[in-house]
Amino acid sequence: MNVTIQQGGIQTVAADAIIVNLFQGVTAPTGATGAVDQALGGAISELIAAGDLRGKAGETVVLYPRGAIPARRVIVVGLGKPDKFDLEAVREAAGAAIKQAQKVGAAAVATVVHGGGAGGLDLAEAAQAVVEGSLLALYRYDAPRVQKENDDETPVDSLILVEFDAVKIGAVEAGARAGQIIAESVALARTLVNQPSNIATPTALAQAAQAMCGEVGLICRVLDEPELRAEGMGALLAVTQGSDQPAKFVVMEHCPESCLTQPPVVLVGKGVAFDTGGYSIKPAESMLGMKADMAGAAAVIGAMRAAALLQLPLRVIGLTPLVENMISATAYKPADVFTAKNGLTIEIANTDAEGRLILADALCYAGELKPAAVIDVATLTGAKGVALGSRTNALFCDDDVLREALLAAGQKTGEPLWRMPLDPAYDRQIKSTVADLKNSGGRSGGAITAARFLAHFVGDWPWAHIDMAGSAEYSGGPEDTPRSYLVKGATGIPLRTLVEYLRSVVE
Ligand code: BES
Ligand code: MN
Ligand code: ZN
């Protein structure tokens, strides 16, 4: 997608569609919408007066200027109530409007920066949200089909952000550029999650990460099984031992010259390419979604891409342990005992609690990097989904500074997080009689005992664990908050939160 900025009045822009907006409750449009209304002889005011346009969030109407202005179509999108207006409302409006533009076959689309004028938002952030909402709404997974869906659709191929005020152009440009980098990174993450696990194997995922690193100038190292053995990653190796697909461990590093001596922020993503549950096998329906059990890894790979392209003046290291959890004659079994990288021994209470095993070794590896902070993201427990559903993700973090920064980042990006307890009192549930720990604490407080398990592999540095089970994929069902910029399939959550967090650390 070609994203450009243009200065001037949007009513003068020649495009297949121009997008303006309306707050709910406004009867006499002002600003860009007012200018277009005037040029159209009051056509928008008439729609409002007739009750056909109310400015409700996500509402769209299409008008045909019939030569009154150069544009072929005008799309008015509702912004909702002014007191509920925020960056998420901008993404929502931008996504709804661009989908409407796509539907009517507009290739070149111009839009105002929603919220830049009367909305009172920071202009660069609003421009970023417009680009994010637009590009994310148009994301499609290119499925391997002979009979292509939507192949009669004209894709939107250019998006022009129009700003009237010349002094604001710089801010719009900066925001739009960041928005495009972030949205394209989310698209990469979504595609990795959408690919079936026979394609997106640990090896293929490592190759994708490596290719991305090559493109954007990140240092990348892929550890293979002999190296993982040398690292002492007995917990990770236990999970992979039933699979014919070799495990991989990707280390991606963003290290600007000015940051060589900085302690890094380390991002860790659970990368289970497919989770059958192992001998503690999952029922068929639960297994079906488990190609998305590497969504944490995908988010970390995408976040590293964004960190590089945004040229963040910050040292960031991304780690993705990549395995498949399978059943075979060589697979690990319930009651087996393994030794993790830090020497702790683990009794396998349940082979389906595999995510915490690969994360345990990855967290130990992170600790050896002398980190400023470690954040892991994982589709870790069904219990998280039971507790919080798909809309909100669970944040486990007892470091006040890191936690507040992550909560703020999640709020800003529309990927909400909710604090959960990390009380060591829960450790009683994961005590083992034959090892230091066991990998399942049972059903009660399942997301918390999983987080407590991870805590045993973290040293004395700020650490946050995000359990994102249930929000890797969007189904559009009643449990999913409808969002114009999510399409069925992978969401890319919580990539934008990670990037927003990194940007907030820089500031
Ligand atoms: N990948 C699953 C968690 C999951 C469940 C993610 C549903 C997305 C949707 C994880 O590996 C798992 O199986 N966890 C078990 C842990 C239990 C055995 C202690 C679970 O939640 O049932
Ligand atoms: Mn599992
Ligand atoms: Zn899993």
Side-chain angles (χ1 to χ4, degrees):
M1 172 83 72
N2 184 26
V3 180
T4 54
I5 318 297
Q6 199 169 312
Q7 194 233 318
I10 195 164
Q11 72 280 7
T12 67
V13 176
D16 297 317
I18 60 171
I19 296 167
V20 291
N21 58 47
L22 189 75
F23 275 112
Q24 197 168 337
V26 171
T27 48
T30 57
T33 312
V36 173
D37 186 39
Q38 212 162 44
L40 299 185
I44 298 176
S45 297
E46 194 179 326
L47 277 170
I48 300 169
D52 295 5
L53 171 61
R54 290 187 287 173
K56 287 184 136 186
E59 178 187 11
T60 57
V61 296
V62 187
L63 293 87
Y64 293 84
R66 311 186 71 195
I69 55 174
R72 286 188 61 191
R73 305 171 186 86
V74 173
I75 297 173
V76 187
V77 63
L79 298 181
K81 298 201 175 107
D83 59 331
K84 292 238 172 74
F85 189 68
D86 58 8
L87 290 170
E88 180 61 10
V90 174
R91 281 184 286 270
E92 186 62 35
I98 203 102
K99 276 168 142 172
Q100 185 58 254
Q102 167 110 305
K103 208 161 147 190
V104 296
V109 177
T111 180
V112 295
V113 179
H114 310 300
L121 300 177
D122 175 89
L123 194 60
E125 290 184 346
Q128 180 188 328
V130 167
V131 174
E132 284 177 358
S134 305
L135 270 50
L136 293 177
L138 295 179
Y139 169 84
R140 291 271 184 287
Y141 171 59
D142 187 15
R145 272 197 278 250
V146 178
Q147 294 169 321
K148 292 285 178 195
E149 265 186 359
N150 312 318
D151 61 352
D152 54 339
E153 244 175 30
T154 316
V156 177
D157 60 17
S158 74
L159 178 66
I160 308 160
L161 270 62
V162 183
E163 170 56 48
F164 185 74
D165 196 343
V167 299
K168 294 180 175 169
I169 287 293
V172 174
E173 231 148 29
R177 172 145 177 75
Q180 185 166 15
I181 288 169
I182 292 166
E184 288 173 357
S185 300
V186 171
L188 168 64
R190 285 184 181 178
T191 296
L192 293 177
V193 174
N194 282 330
Q195 283 173 337
S197 71
N198 59 321
I199 302 295
T201 59
T203 301
L205 290 166
Q207 277 165 353
Q210 212 160 19
M212 179 282 289
C213 288
E215 274 163 34
V216 304
L218 290 169
I219 307 163
C220 184
R221 195 169 154 221
V222 179
L223 308 190
D224 57 17
E225 284 183 4
E227 289 167 300
L228 298 177
R229 213 159 290 132
E231 288 283 346
M233 294 194 181
L236 183 157
L237 289 165
V239 178
T240 197
Q241 76 187 30
S243 174
D244 273 350
Q245 294 291 337
K248 303 286 172 186
F249 188 100
V250 184
V251 184
M252 297 160 276
E253 178 161 6
H254 168 68
C255 188
E257 210 139 306
S258 59
C259 308
L260 284 170
T261 56
Q262 244 180 37
V265 175
V266 184
L267 308 177
V268 183
K270 172 179 172 182
V272 176
F274 195 80
D275 182 10
T276 65
Y279 276 100
S280 312
I281 192 168
K282 286 183 183 297
E285 321 78 62
S286 325
M287 202 188 294
L288 201 53
M290 285 302 137
K291 70 167 184 179
D293 210 19
M294 35 60 73
V300 168
I301 292 168
M304 291 306 297
R305 179 186 184 275
L309 292 175
L310 292 168
Q311 299 181 299
L312 297 183
L314 189 70
R315 198 168 154 224
V316 190
I317 297 180
L319 306 177
T320 63
L322 299 165
V323 300
E324 220 184 32
N325 188 20
M326 299 297 285
I327 296 174
S328 75
T330 59
Y332 76 146
K333 307 176 295 301
D336 286 356
V337 174
F338 299 94
T339 306
K341 182 168 164 59
N342 67 351
L344 287 182
T345 54
I346 304 165
E347 174 197 358
I348 305 305
N350 190 313
T351 62
D352 198 10
E354 84 298 338
R356 65 198 75 184
L357 296 172
I358 67 169
L359 288 175
D361 282 336
L363 288 169
C364 293
Y365 189 97
E368 293 185 350
L369 300 168
K370 305 252 174 317
V374 177
I375 303 167
D376 77 74
V377 290
T379 48
L380 203 63
T381 67
K384 178 265 148 181
V386 173
L388 296 177
S390 69
R391 177 181 170 79
T392 308
N393 282 317
L395 174 64
F396 297 85
C397 180
D398 281 352
D399 181 90
D400 293 347
V401 176
L402 178 57
R403 184 182 63 250
E404 291 312 312
L406 282 168
L407 287 171
Q411 175 64 29
K412 203 161 165 180
T413 54
E415 298 177 338
L417 297 170
W418 197 261
R419 186 184 186 181
M420 298 279 276
L422 262 175
D423 192 329
Y426 288 89
D427 286 356
R428 298 184 57 234
Q429 282 175 249
I430 50 171
K431 262 183 80 138
S432 167
T433 52
V434 295
D436 291 309
L437 293 166
K438 60 182 180 182
N439 74 334
S440 168
R443 279 170 54 81
S444 174
I448 303 168
T449 52
R452 281 307 309 164
F453 181 89
L454 297 180
H456 288 83
F457 302 90
V458 178
D460 191 19
W461 44 82
W463 164 63
H465 159 57
I466 297 176
D467 191 336
M468 51 167 291
S471 44
E473 290 179 305
Y474 177 79
S475 70
E479 74 284 9
D480 286 337
T481 308
R483 290 185 203 243
S484 66
Y485 62 86
L486 293 182
V487 295
K488 274 188 189 154
T491 60
I493 290 171
L495 187 157
R496 289 186 301 109
T497 300
L498 294 177
V499 175
E500 178 56 35
Y501 165 75
L502 295 174
R503 291 178 92 192
S504 78
V505 172
V506 169
E507 270 169 19

